[in-house]
Amino acid sequence: MELEKFIEKLSDNFEDTEISELRTDTIFQDLDEWSSLTALGIIAMAKTEYGKAITGREIRNCTTIKDLYELIINK
């Protein structure tokens, strides 16, 4: 899984945020539209797109988009 493609898929969970704002060092939980529903969308994306099961607690332990990417690929 390439990081750029991951960011493209992740951007579907941030409909009001321009994809250009989503970089590897973006602190995704600081984005205005971050919510528990966004987290659920990311959990669903990890399962459907990558076949990986992640939890809300694991997401909370991530800081940047790169952290989230590494969580999913290393699962």
Side-chain angles (χ1 to χ4, degrees), residues 4-13 45 49-50:
E4 295 81 25
K5 289 185 182 193
F6 175 78
I7 290 174
E8 287 177 24
K9 292 179 187 300
L10 183 67
S11 71
D12 291 341
N13 293 287
M45 177 196 74
E49 296 289 331
Y50 303 106

Side-chain angles (χ1 to χ4, degrees), residues 51-64:
K52 308 288 179 101
I54 61 172
T55 66
R57 179 173 298 221
E58 290 171 318
I59 291 173
R60 282 191 303 274
N61 289 330
C62 295
T63 304
T64 65

